[in-house]
Amino acid sequence: MAQATASTCEICTAGPGEHYCQQCDQLFCGSCKSSHLRTKSCKNHTFLSGPNINKEEKLLCTCTEHKEIYFFYCQDCDTPVCRICSVKKHSRHLMADLTESTKKLRFEVVKNIEAKVTTSKVNLSKIEKETKTYRDEVKAVIKTITEEGNYWKNLIDKKVGSFVRLLHDEEQKALQNITTLTKVYRGDIENCQQWEKKIKEMETMADVLLLHKLKKLEVDVDNIDLKPVPERSYVSYINKKPSGTEIDSLFGEMQFK
């Protein structure tokens, strides 16, 4: 029986074994393949060809029951089928060409990845824009607080420092949340880009093997749940200029959302 690691023709043992006969389960070189197909009893044999034929491809590309290569895709059963199976076991099922079904699935997976990347980039852009606005608001509030502190001179220096520290603390909390969200979306983009690269690398695979790989990849892609960017943090300061002497009554109210 042909081994996955075989690299030479199993007939002449001289040429490279780049052609796999699915009926004989043997590796042939180009010359031996031609001779094999000229034999009357073997003229209808089917071959898988390529320098990287492996056992996994042989098993996945051939019907285990009939030793026939898969030609169709049964949409009702969600499985590849050979010509004999299409008549015996799937006679009334909705059938499609295996190559076309694989191309369609690849297109859908690639389209899904591209949509994920686009959404992630839009969300990142929104985060960056809202972050700038929020930080500008923080600066504006600090400026207002500082100016009010100067108005009341040294009497309210302590209170000003307290407010500024509180504002910075809340800012840090908000920025930490934003940083976490940014890492999530960047991670999604990296994953999608890796999948795009992987799909390109799989272009030379046999259709049925590619189908299996794409189905597994489709599950991973669908598992990415791109949640919408939450409403950004807001900050404002309501100032007042009371005539009393109590420090707390001299300042406005800090508001966070």
Side-chain angles (χ1 to χ4, degrees), residues 13 30 37 40 88 91-92 142 145-146 196 212 231 242 249 252 257:
T13 67
L37 292 175
K40 186 175 182 180
K88 289 188 175 182
S91 60
R92 296 186 179 182
I142 292 176
I145 294 172
T146 303
E196 288 178 318
H212 283 274
E231 187 175 0
S249 66
K257 182 178 179 182

Side-chain angles (χ1 to χ4, degrees), residues 131-145:
T131 299
K132 182 181 184 303
T133 302
Y134 174 69
R135 299 197 73 175
D136 287 343
E137 289 177 347
V138 169
K139 293 176 182 178
V141 172
I142 292 176
K143 183 175 182 292
T144 301
I145 294 172

Side-chain angles (χ1 to χ4, degrees), residues 152 155-156 159 240-252:
W152 294 108
L155 180 64
I156 58 174
K159 193 66 177 181
K240 56 184 178 179
K241 297 180 180 179
S243 59
T245 58
E246 292 292 329
I247 293 178
D248 288 342
S249 66
L250 298 178
F251 285 85

Side-chain angles (χ1 to χ4, degrees), residues 84-147:
I84 298 176
C85 286
S86 69
V87 176
K88 289 188 175 182
K89 295 184 178 181
H90 306 265
S91 60
R92 296 186 179 182
H93 291 187
L94 183 62
M95 308 293 290
D97 180 75
L98 179 60
T99 299
E100 291 301 319
S101 297
T102 303
K103 286 181 179 179
K104 181 180 178 181
L105 177 59
R106 181 182 183 277
F107 174 79
E108 291 173 351
V109 173
V110 170
K111 185 177 180 180
N112 194 0
I113 291 175
E114 290 174 348
K116 303 281 187 183
V117 171
T118 299
T119 302
S120 295
K121 288 182 177 179
V122 170
N123 288 337
L124 281 173
S125 178
K126 182 178 180 180
I127 288 176
E128 292 169 356
K129 181 178 179 180
E130 296 292 355
T131 299
K132 182 181 184 303
T133 302
Y134 174 69
R135 299 197 73 175
D136 287 343
E137 289 177 347
V138 169
K139 293 176 182 178
V141 172
I142 292 176
K143 183 175 182 292
T144 301
I145 294 172
T146 303
E147 288 176 350

